[in-house]
C-alpha cells in the first residue's frame, strides 16, 4: 500500500516537458587549422538564427553555458580554451552574456608526433540553449576527419582571433568590500584615452548583480570600475577574473583578460551567515504556513487528533508527533527531488508548480471532496482495517505518516511570509542548499506538532473529547467542500466550463460509490456484505474519478488561465516584459501583482487589500498602471520575471515609481499597500 501511494505521489508531481528543441535555430560546424607541427586549433562555428542568441561561458542572469565535449585520439592534450568577447543582451532588465548571428568557439591542442602529417578523426558532443525571449535547448554530435593539408578555415580563425581578449599592458589590481568588487586601472600611457564605453564581464557566474550599473570613476592616473555583488552569494571567489571590454569613439572594440587576486584581505565572506539566515527564514515560513487558509482543513483534523491523544500515554503521543513530522518532511523531500530533476532538465519551476498541471488540480479536487464526505459521516475510510489490534496500530502509523504528507500537499498553493525570500535563494544555489532550505521549511511546518507531542501537558489547554468534536468535524467538512469548489474554479480557468460539468458528474458518481461503501462495508456487516460493498462502492468511485478526469483532461482549450478581473475596482492589465519596459521608459508608476488562481494567499490579498476603496482611489489618484502577471498556467516569461526578483513563488507584489522599485510582503493589508504607494 505504501509503495503504491509513493508511486502515485511521484506521478502527481510530474509535469509535461516540451518536446521542442533548438536544433533548427542553430547550425554548428567543426572547423580546424594546423598552425604548427604539433599545434591544432579545433573548434565549432555556430550559425544562429536572426534575433536569437546562445550563451558565453558565464551566461549572466539566466541561460546555460554553451558546452563542447571533444572526443580526441589518445595523447592529444588541450593547451587553452578560447571564448571571444560576448555581447551584453538585455531584455526587460534581465542581463545575459552571449552571441548572436555567428560565433567560433575553439581550443588549442597539442598533438603527439605520431599524428603529425596524418589524417585523424575527432568528434564533439554539443549542448546549447538558444533564446530570444523564450528559450529552447539544443544539442547534437558532430564528426570530422582532419586533413593537415587543408587550410580552408585559416581566414575564419584569423577573423575570430581579433575578438579574443588581449594581455593587458597596463597595471591593475582588485579590492573588495562587503557588497562589491573594485577594479583599479593604472593607465599612465592613456590606453583608454579615446574610450567611450567600458564594461566588465566576470567569468564567475552567480556572484554579481548584472542589472545594477557598474560605477566608473576616472582619475588622473586611470580609473576604477565597481561591480556590485548579488543579493545572495554562497561562495565568493578569491580572485577577480573576467573580461574588460573597451569601446573607443570609432566603435572599435578591445577586450582585456583580467586575472588577479583580491588585495583586500580584510573582506569577510558572510556566505555562511547568509545560509543560516535563509534557513531561519525557511523555518519561520514553515511555522506560519500552518496558519494559511489552504492548510486549515488538514490542521483542523490534526487538532482533533491531539484532543483524542490526550487520553494516551506520553510515549504514544511522542511517537505520533514524530511520525506526522516525518510525513511532512518526506513530502518536502519528494517535492525537492522533483524540482531538482526538472531543473537539471532545463525547466524553470517554482513553489506550487504542480498546480499549473490540471492533473494535480483534479487529484486535489477529488481528494478534498472525499475528505469532506468523510467528515460528514458518509463513510469512515479505514474502519475495516482497524478491526484487529495489530491492524489498528499499523493503520494508525500509516495514517499519521500520510496525514503529514497530505498537510504538505495541500500547503503548496500557499506562500507564507519569509518563504518567498527563502525559496528564491535556492534559484542559484547548489542542490544540497536547496535540500536544506526545503528541509527547514518542512521542519518549521512540523514544529508545532513536535512541541505538542514533546510536551503533552500542553494538550490540556484543548477541550475534553465530547459531542463538540462531531460538530467540529462537520464544520470542517464544509470548509473542505468549499476548497473543492475553489479547485473547480481553478480548473475552469485551465480547461473551461465543460470540464467543470464533467467533473461535477464524476464527483456525483464518486459520492454514490463512497455512500455504498460507507453504508454496507461496516465492521458490523457480514464478511460477504463488506466484500461486495467494498468492491462495488470503490469500483464505482474509481470509475467516476478516472472517466471524468480523463475526459476533462482531453478537452482542448486555449484559455489563458487568467485571474484578471476588474470587479474589485482596479483595472488590471496583462503583464508582459515588453509592456512593462514601455511603461517604465515613459516614467509611469507601475504596480505588478504576480498571482495565480490556485494561490489562496493571492486570492485573500485580492479581497482584503485590492478591493479596499482607499487603495482603489490611491491607484487612480497617482495614475498607477496595475499589471497582473498570472502564473495559473505555466508561463516562462513570468517565471523569468519572478527569478529577476530572486523568487520562484507567488504572490509577489512590486511597485515601480520614480526610478525605484519596492517589493511588498506576501501578506497584504490596505495599510501596507497605501504606505508603499504614499512613501515612494
Amino acid at each position: 500500500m505504501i509503495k503504491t501511494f509513493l508511486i502515485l505521489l511521484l506521478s502527481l508531481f510530474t509535469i509535461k516537458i516540451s518536446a521542442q528543441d533548438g536544433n533548427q535555430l542553430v547550425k554548428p560546424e567543426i572547423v580546424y587549422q594546423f598552425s604548427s607541427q604539433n599545434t591544432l586549433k579545433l573548434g565549432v562555428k555556430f550559425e544562429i538564427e536572426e534575433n536569437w542568441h546562445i550563451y558565453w561561458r558565464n551566461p549572466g542572469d539566466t541561460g546555460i553555458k554553451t558546452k563542447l565535449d571533444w572526443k580526441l585520439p589518445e595523447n592529444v592534450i588541450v593547451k587553452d580554451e578560447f571564448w571571444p568577447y560576448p555581447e551584453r543582451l538585455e531584455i526587460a532588465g534581465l542581463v545575459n552574456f552571449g552571441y548572436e548571428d555567428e560565433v567560433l568557439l575553439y581550443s588549442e591542442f597539442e598533438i603527439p608526433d605520431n599524428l603529425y602529417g596524418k589524417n585523424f578523426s575527432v568528434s564533439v558532443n554539443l549542448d546549447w540553449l538558444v533564446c530570444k525571449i523564450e528559450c529552447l535547448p539544443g544539442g547534437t554530435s558532430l564528426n570530422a576527419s582532419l586533413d593537415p593539408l587543408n587550410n580552408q578555415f585559416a581566414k575564419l580563425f584569423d577573423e575570430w582571433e581579433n575578438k579574443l581578449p588581449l594581455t593587458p599592458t597596463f597595471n591593475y589590481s582588485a579590492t573588495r568590500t562587503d557588497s562589491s568588487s573594485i577594479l583599479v586601472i593604472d593607465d599612465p600611457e592613456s590606453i583608454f584615452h579615446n574610450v567611450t564605453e567600458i564594461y566588465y564581464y566576470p567569468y564567475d557566474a552567480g556572484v554579481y548583480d548584472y542589472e545594477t550599473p557598474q560605477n566608473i570613476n576616472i582619475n588622473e592616473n586611470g580609473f576604477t570600475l565597481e561591480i556590485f555583488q548579488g543579493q545572495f552569494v554562497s561562495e565568493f571567489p578569491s580572485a577577480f577574473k573576467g573580461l574588460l571590454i573597451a569601446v573607443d569613439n570609432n566603435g572599435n572594440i578591445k577586450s582585456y583578460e583580467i586575472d588577479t587576486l583580491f588585495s583586500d584581505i580584510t573582506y569577510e565572506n558572510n556566505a555562511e551567515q547568509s545560509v543560516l539566515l535563509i534557513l531561519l527564514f525557511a523555518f519561520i515560513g514553515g511555522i506560519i504556513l500552518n496558519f494559511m487558509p489552504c492548510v486549515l482543513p488538514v490542521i483542523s483534523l490534526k487538532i482533533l487528533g491531539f484532543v483524542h491523544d490526550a487520553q494516551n500515554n506520553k510515549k504514544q503521543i511522542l511517537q505520533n508527533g514524530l511520525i506526522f513530522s516525518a510525513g511532512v518532511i518526506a513530502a518536502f523531500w519528494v517535492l525537492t527531488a522533483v524540482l531538482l530533476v526538472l531543473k537539471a532538465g532545463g525547466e524553470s519551476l517554482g513553489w506550487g508548480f504542480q498546480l499549473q498541471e490540471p492533473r494535480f488540480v483534479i487529484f486535489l479536487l477529488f481528494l478534498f471532496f472525499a475528505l469532506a464526505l468523510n467528515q460528514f459521516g458518509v463513510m469512515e475510510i479505514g474502519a475495516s482495517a482497524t478491526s484487529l489490534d495489530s491492524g489498528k496500530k499499523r493503520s494508525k502509523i500509516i495514517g499519521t505518516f500520510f496525514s503529514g504528507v497530505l498537510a504538505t500537499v495541500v500547503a503548496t498553493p500557499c506562500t507564507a511570509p519569509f518563504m518567498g525570500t527563502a525559496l528564491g535563494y535556492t534559484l542559484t544555489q547548489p542542490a544540497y542548499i536547496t535540500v536544506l532550505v526545503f528541509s527547514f521549511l518542512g521542519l518549521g511546518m512540523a514544529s508545532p506538532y513536535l512541541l505538542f507531542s514533546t510536551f503533552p501537558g500542553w494538550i490540556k489547554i484543548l477541550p475534553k473529547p465530547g459531542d463538540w468534536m462531531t460538530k467540529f468535524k462537520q464544520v470542517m467538512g464544509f470548509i473542505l467542500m468549499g476548497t473543492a469548489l475553489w479547485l473547480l474554479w481553478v480548473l475552469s480557468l485551465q480547461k473551461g466550463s465543460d470540464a467543470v460539468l464533467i467533473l461535477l458528474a464524476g464527483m456525483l458518481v464518486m459520492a454514490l460509490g463512497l455512500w455504498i461503501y460507507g453504508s454496507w462495508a461496516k465492521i458490523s456487516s457480514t464478511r460477504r456484505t463488506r466484500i461486495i460493498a467494498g468492491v462495488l462502492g470503490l469500483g464505482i468511485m474509481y470509475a467516476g474519478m478516472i472517466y471524468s478526469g480523463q475526459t476533462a483532461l482531453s478537452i482542448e482549450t486555449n484559455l489563458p488561465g487568467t485571474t484578471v478581473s476588474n470587479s474589485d475596482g482596479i483595472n488590471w492589465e496583462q503583464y508582459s516584459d515588453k509592456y512593462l519596459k514601455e511603461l517604465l521608459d515613459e516614467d509611469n508608476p507601475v504596480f505588478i501583482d504576480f498571482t495565480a488562481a490556485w494561490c489562496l494567499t493571492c486570492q485573500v490579498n485580492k479581497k482584503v487589500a485590492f478591493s479596499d476603496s482607499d487603495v482603489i482611489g490611491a491607484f487612480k489618484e497617482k495614475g498607477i498602471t496595475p499589471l497582473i502577471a498570472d502564473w495559473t498556467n505555466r508561463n516562462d516569461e513570468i517565471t523569468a520575471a519572478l527569478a529577476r526578483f530572486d523568487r520562484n513563488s507567488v504572490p509577489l507584489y512590486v511597485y515601480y515609481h520614480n526610478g525605484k522599485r519596492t517589493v511588498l510582503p506576501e501578506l497584504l493589508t490596505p495599510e501596507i499597500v497605501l504606505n508603499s504607494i504614499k512613501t515612494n
Side-chain angles (χ1 to χ4, degrees), residues 68 94 129 169 179 184 228 236 309 407 495 601 678:
L68 292 77
L94 189 66
L129 187 69
T169 57
S179 62
V184 181
F228 294 92
F236 202 89
D309 284 346
K495 301 298 289 185
T601 309
K678 291 177 180 178

Side-chain angles (χ1 to χ4, degrees), residues 599-618:
C599 169
L600 271 176
T601 309
C602 305
Q603 305 310 317
V604 171
N605 286 337
K606 182 178 180 181
K607 296 301 180 185
V608 171
F610 297 128
S611 296
D612 183 82
S613 58
D614 291 336
V615 172
I616 295 170

Side-chain angles (χ1 to χ4, degrees), residues 282-283 329 332-333 336 433-444:
F283 184 80
I329 295 173
F332 272 101
W333 283 347
T336 308
I433 295 291
T434 302
V435 173
L436 268 178
V437 170
F438 274 84
S439 297
F440 270 75
L441 187 59
L443 190 60

Side-chain angles (χ1 to χ4, degrees), residues 609-655:
F610 297 128
S611 296
D612 183 82
S613 58
D614 291 336
V615 172
I616 295 170
F619 270 62
K620 292 178 180 178
E621 177 186 344
K622 290 186 170 289
I624 297 171
T625 301
L627 301 181
I628 193 163
D630 195 284
W631 213 35
T632 300
N633 291 333
R634 187 174 175 194
N635 185 307
D636 291 337
E637 184 178 32
I638 293 175
T639 303
L642 285 167
R644 292 199 291 273
F645 294 95
D646 295 320
R647 294 292 180 89
N648 58 357
S649 61
V650 291
L652 173 65
Y653 306 101
V654 184
Y655 177 50

Side-chain angles (χ1 to χ4, degrees), residues 468-517:
W468 72 270
M469 294 176 66
T470 301
K471 303 298 182 187
F472 185 75
K473 282 181 63 177
Q474 292 171 350
V475 170
M476 291 302 104
F478 283 106
I479 294 178
L480 288 162
M481 194 68 73
T483 306
L485 292 176
W486 160 68
L487 288 167
L488 274 174
W489 172 67
V490 172
L491 198 70
S492 71
L493 297 174
Q494 295 176 328
K495 301 298 289 185
S497 58
D498 288 346
V500 172
L501 291 174
I502 292 168
L503 288 169
L504 283 171
M507 292 165 68
L508 178 63
V509 175
M510 177 186 188
L512 173 62
L514 290 176
W515 175 74
I516 293 173
Y517 176 85

Side-chain angles (χ1 to χ4, degrees), residues 77 91 202 214 224 226 263 334 337 397 425 578 581 604 649 662:
I77 302 171
I91 302 174
Q214 299 178 6
T224 62
E226 183 177 22
S263 58
V334 171
I397 290 174
Y425 178 71
K578 181 180 178 182
K581 187 175 187 303
V604 171
S649 61
T662 303

